[in-house]
Amino acid sequence: MPMCATSSQHAEPGSGQPVVPFRQFLLKIHSRCNLACDYCYVYEAADQSWRGRPRRMTAATAERTGRLIAEHAARHGLREVTVVLHGGEPLLVGPDHLETLLGVLVDALEGVVTPRLVVQTNGLRLAEDPRLLPVLDRYGVRIGVSLDGTAASHDRHRRHHDGRGSHADTVRALKELADGPYRPLYTGLLCVIDMTADPVETYEALIECAPPLIDLLLPHATWQTPPPGLEKGTVRPEAPPPQGVYGRSTPYGDWLRTVFDRWYDAPRRETRIRLFEAIMAPMLGGRACSEAVGLTPVDLVVVETDGAIEQVDSLKVAYHGAPAAGLHVSQDTFDDAAAHPAFRARQLGLDGLGSVCRGCFRAPVCGGGLYTHRYDPEAEHPFSAPSVYCADLALLVDHIHRRLAPDAAKLLRVKGT
Ligand code: SF4
């Protein structure tokens, strides 16, 4: 199982806390979408800043961003960075503008740092415009596609603007990608969990598309706007849940536990699942390569279509303006962002958690869950609450530990003999 690279940390003059450099740069190259998913955190959430932004990133903004990434990488001695093309739907920029943006980005980074280029897409444009895949291939851009499992669960949420489901179109695009010469670009599937869908059917529908990796995402939610299945007014825990007693129903924990068992017990490893690997890694002495769990400092920064430098976009579900940092590529640097208190708050490990999570024996693995999911305006500090998914995460961590412990012990015995 891959473990995370150790972050290079530089002590910033005049402060006790080391600066954690960014290694992941998420570029919003197009800020509108050809789907209207009901759970979309960009358009349907509290933050509505997309309304005032340009539709697409200009070549000048991409070039300036590329130069700032190169400067940041050189200063911190980074040899590789990940640049994620994101939206809205990033491929709506079209093949010509996509080629322009990739060209200026790659030129700006050339000779300084190796970019690992990725695009996260709903896939529809891949089947509609045959010129896109060759452009992505020329620049070695790896492709992640959003698919929510079976046709029924996907079409329940991921619909066209006229209300039609998008599953058939997405699967057609996946065939173009996964079955042909562009297969090496296919990085995996991103699936938002619908806890009313059958977990095994969902997993098996995903592996039918032969993904190298699956990202299972808990729907973005906070204590103020709880996820489906968890009613408003669900009481925030005042203490970590004891093992086996989770204090409320655990629909997401139960769902994930079922998928874990199906995945873990398969006679051969069918795919990777990032969330499970991120929970297993610290149990085996590694580091979680995920924002969703664990205590690894956050090393991701967002650049919006207009050049604003912002925090992770899932914060849009918390309140209007939550991701904003007041920084812009025209006048600030990524070192300015790394030193900004909003980013630093997410790099403090255990010290960055609230008192309940700090006292929880699962904290080194769970890490309080995703920062966004901790938001509670009534808490002492708005992001100091345990995750709104606390009980579900506790159950999942305990379950995976229970499954892993005997196998790890067996392995050690074999090695010892
Ligand atoms: S969110 Fe995670 S670390 Fe915090 S109390 Fe719950 S299980 Fe423990």
Side-chain angles (χ1 to χ4, degrees), residues 239-241 353 356-357 360 362-363 366-369 386-387 390-391 393-394:
L353 301 180
V356 174
C357 292
C360 179
R362 304 176 191 91
C366 171
S387 169
C390 172
L393 290 169

Short mmCIF file of all heavy atoms in Angstrom, two decimals, residues 239-241 353 356-357 360 362-363 366-369 386-387 390-391 393-394, ligand 1:
data_model
loop_
_atom_site.label_atom_id
_atom_site.label_comp_id
_atom_site.label_asym_id
_atom_site.label_seq_id
_atom_site.Cartn_x
_atom_site.Cartn_y
_atom_site.Cartn_z
N ALA A 239 -18.05 13.79 23.92
CA ALA A 239 -16.91 12.91 24.24
C ALA A 239 -16.75 11.93 23.08
O ALA A 239 -17.71 11.68 22.35
CB ALA A 239 -17.18 12.15 25.53
N PRO A 240 -15.54 11.39 22.88
CA PRO A 240 -15.35 10.41 21.79
C PRO A 240 -16.25 9.20 22.01
O PRO A 240 -16.41 8.76 23.15
CB PRO A 240 -13.88 10.01 21.91
CG PRO A 240 -13.24 11.04 22.78
CD PRO A 240 -14.31 11.63 23.65
N PRO A 241 -16.83 8.66 20.94
CA PRO A 241 -17.69 7.48 21.12
C PRO A 241 -16.86 6.28 21.60
O PRO A 241 -15.81 6.00 21.02
CB PRO A 241 -18.24 7.20 19.71
CG PRO A 241 -17.79 8.32 18.85
CD PRO A 241 -16.71 9.08 19.54
N LEU A 353 -7.00 19.98 16.27
CA LEU A 353 -8.33 19.41 16.52
C LEU A 353 -8.94 20.01 17.78
O LEU A 353 -8.23 20.51 18.65
CB LEU A 353 -8.22 17.88 16.68
CG LEU A 353 -7.65 17.10 15.50
CD1 LEU A 353 -7.63 15.61 15.82
CD2 LEU A 353 -8.47 17.36 14.25
N VAL A 356 -12.63 17.29 21.93
CA VAL A 356 -13.21 15.93 21.88
C VAL A 356 -12.31 15.02 21.03
O VAL A 356 -11.92 13.93 21.45
CB VAL A 356 -14.65 15.96 21.30
CG1 VAL A 356 -15.18 14.54 21.12
CG2 VAL A 356 -15.57 16.77 22.21
N CYS A 357 -11.93 15.50 19.84
CA CYS A 357 -11.08 14.68 18.95
C CYS A 357 -9.69 14.48 19.56
O CYS A 357 -9.12 13.39 19.44
CB CYS A 357 -10.98 15.31 17.57
SG CYS A 357 -12.53 15.27 16.66
N CYS A 360 -9.60 11.55 21.68
CA CYS A 360 -10.11 10.30 21.09
C CYS A 360 -8.94 9.39 20.68
O CYS A 360 -8.01 9.84 20.00
CB CYS A 360 -10.96 10.63 19.86
SG CYS A 360 -11.62 9.18 19.02
N ARG A 362 -8.90 7.28 18.48
CA ARG A 362 -8.88 7.06 17.02
C ARG A 362 -8.27 8.24 16.27
O ARG A 362 -8.14 8.19 15.04
CB ARG A 362 -10.29 6.86 16.48
CG ARG A 362 -11.07 5.75 17.12
CD ARG A 362 -12.48 5.71 16.58
NE ARG A 362 -13.32 4.83 17.36
CZ ARG A 362 -14.04 5.23 18.41
NH1 ARG A 362 -14.01 6.50 18.79
NH2 ARG A 362 -14.77 4.36 19.07
N ALA A 363 -7.97 9.34 16.98
CA ALA A 363 -7.57 10.58 16.30
C ALA A 363 -6.39 10.40 15.33
O ALA A 363 -6.41 10.97 14.24
CB ALA A 363 -7.27 11.67 17.31
N CYS A 366 -8.35 8.75 12.33
CA CYS A 366 -9.52 9.49 11.85
C CYS A 366 -9.18 10.96 11.60
O CYS A 366 -9.62 11.56 10.62
CB CYS A 366 -10.64 9.38 12.88
SG CYS A 366 -12.04 10.45 12.55
N GLY A 367 -8.41 11.55 12.51
CA GLY A 367 -8.00 12.95 12.35
C GLY A 367 -9.17 13.93 12.43
O GLY A 367 -9.07 15.05 11.93
N GLY A 368 -10.30 13.50 13.01
CA GLY A 368 -11.46 14.39 13.07
C GLY A 368 -12.21 14.47 11.75
O GLY A 368 -13.10 15.30 11.59
N GLY A 369 -11.84 13.62 10.80
CA GLY A 369 -12.52 13.64 9.49
C GLY A 369 -12.15 14.87 8.69
O GLY A 369 -11.23 15.62 9.03
N PRO A 386 -16.09 17.72 16.52
CA PRO A 386 -15.80 16.47 15.80
C PRO A 386 -16.58 16.48 14.49
O PRO A 386 -17.52 17.26 14.33
CB PRO A 386 -16.34 15.38 16.72
CG PRO A 386 -16.70 16.04 18.00
CD PRO A 386 -16.87 17.50 17.75
N SER A 387 -16.21 15.63 13.56
CA SER A 387 -16.91 15.55 12.27
C SER A 387 -18.40 15.28 12.49
O SER A 387 -18.79 14.57 13.42
CB SER A 387 -16.31 14.41 11.45
OG SER A 387 -17.12 14.15 10.34
N CYS A 390 -18.84 11.79 12.84
CA CYS A 390 -18.03 11.19 13.91
C CYS A 390 -18.42 9.73 14.20
O CYS A 390 -17.57 8.84 14.18
CB CYS A 390 -18.15 12.05 15.18
SG CYS A 390 -17.40 11.31 16.62
N ALA A 391 -19.70 9.48 14.46
CA ALA A 391 -20.11 8.12 14.84
C ALA A 391 -19.82 7.14 13.69
O ALA A 391 -19.38 6.00 13.93
CB ALA A 391 -21.60 8.11 15.18
N LEU A 393 -17.50 7.46 11.30
CA LEU A 393 -16.05 7.28 11.16
C LEU A 393 -15.52 6.38 12.28
O LEU A 393 -14.67 5.53 12.05
CB LEU A 393 -15.34 8.63 11.20
CG LEU A 393 -15.56 9.53 9.97
CD1 LEU A 393 -15.04 10.93 10.22
CD2 LEU A 393 -14.88 8.91 8.75
N ALA A 394 -16.06 6.60 13.49
CA ALA A 394 -15.61 5.79 14.63
C ALA A 394 -15.89 4.31 14.34
O ALA A 394 -15.03 3.44 14.52
CB ALA A 394 -16.32 6.25 15.90
S1 SF4 B 1 -14.36 12.70 14.64
FE1 SF4 B 1 -12.92 10.99 14.66
S2 SF4 B 1 -11.23 11.64 16.02
FE2 SF4 B 1 -13.00 13.00 16.41
S3 SF4 B 1 -14.06 12.05 18.17
FE3 SF4 B 1 -15.03 11.31 16.26
S4 SF4 B 1 -13.98 9.37 15.81
FE4 SF4 B 1 -12.70 10.50 17.27
#
